[in-house]
């Protein structure tokens, strides 16, 4: 362990002693009960920003966040980590450093939600009752649904930008690439940041052109990237460097591709604690009103981010826009009024197309462009790359997680002279 990592860990331990509740797993667990005005489930981007907003609304002593992880990651930067443009260390900070000061941190995993009696049970037997519940549990990665994974990641030439455990393997596979097929997969499930599989493909292409510019110049005069639609990865034979795909239009029909590099985007799904619960829809996602972000059945339950059934792309930009609307909705509900602000489905996906260019895609529920800047954002631009690589992380750590950034909506209005 490096000196800086040791200092960070010691700092985390000192902070935890002051602000968190930790589960001590013993043979005989005794259940304890606690009550809080606003309970937030999840310490990702949605949970932390709403914790900060609720602190200002009802006071830190009346807010608690349930989150088991010791490290909080800024996951959007993993696209650049997998391409060697950023370090994985730059993506993480101790969870204790992002929990709003004074807010209770329940360092546990949610095991059961009982909205009928306004309570939650954690993995160490703690029962927490609430007046208002904000669900921000994210989603689950299901590498195990692909035969041969996750054990296949022990072999070279394969990586995935969706996990801190495998993102550096992507960069190693890219560095080791000599010739052959570089395969980038996209599952047939809802996923977070749908642009990410494309981004690493574009960056890999850019890296290979730079690395082998002389020898590949005649071969690659344009981006000769083959897209195989309706092909779903079902098996990885990492020892043979083979990827098996099923034709979604002809179930049972498979095709085997040899690879020199494989980037896997895993199937994803809702958290287990939501699936089958009264809070979930038929698919297992949190059942929300897509405009107010209030639960469709339980009026004191709200949601944000990847765990919801909102029909928009799951991104940090979507969380930012949702947070402002949700803050307003909860404020109205607490005052016994009806919500009056609507979330339009805004989300953003900075498509990194090279090591210095980005296409900044922004759109709403209807997938209509909802661009912030008064220029054609469909073009590759250097300025957008620097915004993605440098400005957005700063805005995330110091704006969104502080509950101070609700998306670019007001700036869009100003830049378009009130026309959008």
């Amino acid at each position: 362990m490096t000196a800086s990592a040791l200092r960070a860990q010691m700092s985390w331990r000192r902070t935890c002693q002051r602000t968190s509740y930790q589960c001590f797993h013993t043979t005989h667990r005794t259940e304890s009960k606690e009550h809080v005005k606003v309970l937030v489930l999840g310490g990702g981007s949605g949970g932390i920003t709403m914790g900060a907003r609720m602190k200002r609304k009802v006071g830190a002593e009346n807010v608690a966040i349930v989150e088991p992880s010791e490290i909080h990651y800024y996951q959007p930067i993993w696209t650049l980590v997998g391409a060697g443009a950023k370090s994985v260390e730059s993506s993480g900070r101790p969870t204790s450093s992002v929990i709003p000061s004074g807010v209770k941190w329940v360092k546990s995993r949610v095991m059961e939600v009982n909205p009928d009696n306004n309570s939650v049970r954690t993995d160490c037997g703690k029962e927490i009752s609430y007046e208002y519940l904000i669900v921000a549990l994210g989603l689950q990665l299901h590498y195990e649904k692909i035969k041969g994974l996750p054990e296949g990641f022990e072999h070279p030439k394969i990586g995935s930008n969706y996990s801190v455990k495998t993102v550096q393997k992507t960069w190693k596979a890219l560095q080791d690439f000599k010739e052959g097929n570089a395969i980038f997969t996209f599952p047939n499930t809802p996923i977070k940041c749908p642009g990410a599989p494309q981004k690493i493909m574009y960056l890999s292409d850019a890296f290979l052109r730079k690395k082998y510019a002389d020898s590949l110049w005649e071969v690659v005069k344009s981006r000769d990237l083959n897209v195989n639609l309706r092909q779903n990865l079902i098996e990885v034979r990492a020892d043979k460097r083979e990827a098996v795909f099923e034709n979604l239009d002809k179930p049972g029909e498979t095709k085997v591709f040899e690879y020199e590099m494989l980037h896997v985007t895993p199937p994803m799904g809702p958290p287990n604690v939501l699936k089958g619960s009264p809070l979930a829809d038929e698919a297992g996602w949190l059942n929300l009103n897509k405009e107010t972000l209030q639960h469709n059945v339980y009026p004191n339950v709200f949601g944000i981010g990847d765990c919801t059934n909102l029909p928009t792309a799951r991104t940090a930009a979507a969380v930012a826009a949702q947070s402002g609307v949700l803050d307003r909705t909860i404020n109205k509900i607490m005052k016994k009024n009806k919500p009056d602000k609507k979330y339009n489905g805004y989300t953003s996906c900075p498509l990194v197309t090279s090591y210095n260019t980005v296409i900044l895609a922004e759109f709403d529920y209807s997938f209509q462009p909802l661009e912030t800047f008064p220029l054609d954002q469909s073009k590759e631009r250097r300025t957008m790359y620097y915004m993605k690589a440098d400005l957005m992380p700063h805005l995330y750590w110091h704006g969104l997680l502080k509950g101070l950034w609700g998306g670019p909506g007001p700036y869009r209005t100003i830049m378009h002279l009130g026309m959008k």
Side-chain angles (χ1 to χ4, degrees), residues 1-12 14 71 87 89-90 92-94:
M1 180 179 293
T2 65
S4 60
L6 181 60
R7 285 195 297 271
Q9 188 178 69
M10 293 175 65
S11 174
W12 172 80
R14 288 195 297 270
I71 302 295
S87 68
E89 290 78 14
S90 68
R93 297 185 182 182

Side-chain angles (χ1 to χ4, degrees), residues 8-74:
Q9 188 178 69
M10 293 175 65
S11 174
W12 172 80
R13 288 174 176 170
R14 288 195 297 270
T15 308
C16 276
Q17 291 172 354
R18 298 194 303 269
T19 63
S20 71
Y21 296 89
Q22 296 192 44
C23 292
F24 297 96
H25 298 277
T26 60
T27 304
H28 303 287
R29 297 192 309 178
T30 58
E31 292 200 3
S32 59
K33 294 185 177 181
E34 187 176 331
H35 178 78
V36 66
K37 187 176 182 71
V38 179
L39 181 62
V40 181
L41 305 184
S45 56
I48 296 299
T49 188
M50 292 312 300
R53 287 175 178 270
M54 293 301 102
K55 170 187 172 179
R56 290 196 292 272
K57 194 175 300 296
V58 301
E61 69 279 5
N62 295 310
V63 181
I65 298 175
V66 183
E67 170 56 49
S69 304
E70 297 179 7
I71 302 295
H72 178 103
Y73 289 102
Y74 175 56

Side-chain angles (χ1 to χ4, degrees), residues 94-170:
T95 300
S96 60
S97 70
V98 298
I99 296 283
S101 62
V103 168
K104 303 178 185 70
W105 176 20
V106 182
K107 189 174 176 291
S108 311
R109 190 176 304 278
V110 179
M111 296 301 292
E112 184 180 3
V113 183
N114 299 298
D116 291 312
N117 64 2
N118 297 326
S119 69
V120 167
R121 183 174 59 83
T122 70
D123 61 353
C124 58
K126 180 183 288 292
E127 182 179 325
I128 309 171
S129 59
Y130 57 82
E131 290 183 45
Y132 302 95
L133 179 69
I134 300 175
V135 183
L137 289 169
L139 48 64
Q140 285 186 281
L141 306 180
H142 290 293
Y143 288 106
E144 77 284 354
K145 289 188 176 183
I146 300 172
K147 186 178 179 181
L149 293 183
E151 62 271 19
F153 287 115
E154 298 301 319
H155 292 260
K157 311 291 186 178
I158 177 174
S160 175
N161 289 355
Y162 278 90
S163 169
V164 70
K165 297 178 180 179
T166 57
V167 63
Q168 293 181 97
K169 294 180 181 293
T170 302

